[in-house]
Amino acid sequence: MLDLLFAVIARDLKLALRRQADLVSALFFFIIVVSLFPLGVGPEMDMLRKMAPGVLWVAALLATMLTLPRLFGDDYRDGTLEQLVLAPQPLPVTVLGKMAAHWLTSGLPLTLLAPVLGLQFDLSADGLLVLTLALLVGTPSLSAIGAIGAALTLGLRGGGVLVSLLVLPLYIPVLIFGAGAVDAAVSGLGFEAHLSLLGALLAGSLFFAPWATAAALKISLE
Amino acid sequence: MNNRLINWFKFASPATFYPLAGKMIPWFVALSVVFGAAGLYLGMFVAPTDFQQGEGYRIIFIHVPASWMSMFIYLVMAFWAALGLAFNTRLSGMMATALAPTGALMAFLSLWTGALWGKPMWGTWWVWDARLTSELILLFLYIGFIALQSAIDDPRRADKAGAVLALVGVVNIPIIYFSVKWWNTLHQGASVSLTKSPSMAATMLWAMLLVALCFWMYSIAVALGRARNIMLERERHTEWVRQLLAGKES
């Protein structure tokens, strides 16, 4: 099982690294969206500092969502996905591997980049630290929950827009606790509760999402 | 011993359910009209004017039942979805599809009447209160379900994909509700709360319950009607639909 998991992760990573343009464009999307907010609302640092957690988190949600069609789309078009579903190995484990690879290529780079963008918003050192931690715990849930939406909309016309309709409402708890953790840290309150809740969401979504995604994949490939 | 099982599953077939639904709809429509007339009469004419809110509060006789129904219909939809996935019955998916627009309508109605009530009472159309926000998200979930189903051409795949989404949604609804609630208390945002004085005149409660029953009956009638149309559309190549249509034309 672990062999399968690592094999899927290694394969997906290799494929992703051969298409670096995709990775980089999602990251630049994140940077551009975050940089648009000060242009839209004005450069007052007080307001920006207040908005920073929400802006960074919403931008992270959107950037993750943009990369979701890639999760199964290429494998679906060249027929690999069908073979993965037919394979005797348990599909939820394969799916978990794909989620992990997706997070490594989308969520993790966002997390590493976020503190730099947080500096633009004049976040305090505590705030930056908690922001990074929260993104580290929160973005894997985004990949896991998003995979369900990606699997459901596989091969549909207008899949990209549809995936946002399905997935964004389900992202709301992650957004609330993720941004809440940073808010709490900035205003000097305890942020541990938020991080624990993010961890709980992560545990729940890692457990349930592979099954739901596997079921959705089977339906989509019927 | 087997008879009971057969009786239950008999109506899982569209061919037998179609006429049954046709017979049931007039009853539910009649009940809905009776309950609605009684509830609105009680609510609009009998119930006393509220001490603080004046006559404007009477919109809650629509607002509260609509909110109840919007949540309840999502549960029923998820129930049919689970049944459809478990037993692979055609009718369950049709029922879930037929319920979704009514549920979305109820959620919208609840938000709309809430806004109309909020303007004179709170002085604003919208506050980021936990209940308002989660009702809005419920509407988003309904819209996602409808959008997913309408994007898929193959009805069987649409049913199953919708079923998975409805089940994922129903697991998430409590999580979303509580996260929004905690978010709201943490931000100390809305200074007004929906919790009104606990003592409610008995006539008000009765009126609300009667309107809720009216909405319930209305939802059943409309969902059955919509399910009948879906059945005809999807089963148009079958013998029973052909016979039915031929019988109607002659």
Side-chain angles (χ1 to χ4, degrees), chain A residues 154 157 166 172 194 220 222, chain B residues 137 144 153 157 160 183 186:
Chain A
L154 209 52
R157 59 194 135 76
L166 304 189
I172 289 170
H194 287 96
S220 296
E222 238 166 37
Chain B
I137 296 167
D153 293 326
R157 187 186 159 189
K160 287 185 181 168
W183 162 74
L186 282 171

Side-chain angles (χ1 to χ4, degrees), chain A residues 23-222:
Chain A
L23 300 180
V24 177
S25 54
L27 274 184
F28 270 101
F29 174 81
F30 179 58
I31 298 172
I32 291 173
V33 169
V34 171
S35 314
L36 284 181
F37 273 88
L39 298 177
V41 299
E44 291 85 9
M45 270 305 168
D46 279 342
M47 188 164 60
L48 289 182
R49 209 175 299 127
K50 240 184 189 161
M51 283 175 36
V55 168
L56 283 162
W57 263 98
V58 170
L61 293 193
L62 295 177
T64 315
M65 210 194 62
L66 273 189
T67 58
L68 283 177
R70 210 172 62 200
L71 187 54
F72 299 113
D74 293 339
D75 286 351
Y76 175 70
R77 268 187 293 280
D78 65 14
T80 319
L81 195 61
E82 215 155 307
Q83 301 304 319
L84 286 175
V85 172
L86 288 174
Q89 284 81 11
L91 185 58
V93 179
T94 315
V95 167
L96 188 64
K98 291 187 87 67
M99 286 172 187
H102 178 261
W103 176 72
L104 286 173
T105 54
S106 70
L108 189 60
L110 290 186
T111 309
L112 298 177
L113 201 62
V116 184
L117 295 174
L119 282 178
Q120 285 188 320
F121 284 76
D122 195 30
L123 273 181
S124 62
D126 277 354
L128 288 177
L129 182 71
V130 175
L131 173 71
T132 318
L133 274 177
L135 279 168
L136 199 63
V137 187
T139 45
S141 314
L142 300 184
S143 293
I145 298 169
I148 305 174
L152 282 173
T153 55
L154 209 52
L156 298 181
R157 59 194 135 76
V161 185
L162 197 55
V163 110
S164 60
L165 269 183
L166 304 189
V167 159
L168 284 181
L170 303 178
Y171 277 175
I172 289 170
V174 181
L175 170 68
I176 287 176
F177 296 126
V182 188
D183 252 349
V186 169
S187 52
L189 300 169
F191 55 83
E192 290 88 352
H194 287 96
L195 284 187
S196 310
L197 282 165
L198 276 182
L201 287 177
L202 174 61
S205 55
L206 278 188
F207 184 77
F208 287 111
W211 266 275
T213 311
L217 279 180
K218 280 182 187 151
I219 291 164
S220 296
L221 288 172
E222 238 166 37

Side-chain angles (χ1 to χ4, degrees), chain B residues 59-74 103 105-114 131-132 135 138 142 194 212 215:
Chain B
I59 203 165
I60 64 163
F61 293 120
I62 304 292
H63 173 72
V64 176
S67 319
W68 284 344
M69 281 317 289
S70 68
M71 288 177 255
F72 182 64
I73 289 177
Y74 201 92
L105 173 76
M106 289 293 170
F108 180 75
L109 205 59
S110 149
L111 289 171
W112 190 253
T113 51
R131 287 202 225 183
L132 274 76
E135 185 74 24
L138 185 67
Y142 274 120
L194 274 171
F215 278 12

Side-chain angles (χ1 to χ4, degrees), chain B residues 46-125:
Chain B
V46 179
T49 307
D50 189 85
F51 169 62
Q52 285 175 319
Q53 304 177 4
E55 300 290 346
Y57 87 96
R58 290 184 197 274
I59 203 165
I60 64 163
F61 293 120
I62 304 292
H63 173 72
V64 176
S67 319
W68 284 344
M69 281 317 289
S70 68
M71 288 177 255
F72 182 64
I73 289 177
Y74 201 92
L75 288 182
V76 178
M77 206 172 85
F79 164 76
W80 283 115
L83 219 58
L85 277 185
F87 295 111
N88 206 13
T89 45
R90 281 171 295 170
L91 195 58
S92 317
M94 294 180 192
M95 286 305 288
T97 313
L99 280 166
T102 309
L105 173 76
M106 289 293 170
F108 180 75
L109 205 59
S110 149
L111 289 171
W112 190 253
T113 51
L116 287 181
W117 181 83
K119 187 60 185 167
M121 300 304 160
W122 297 339
T124 160
W125 297 105

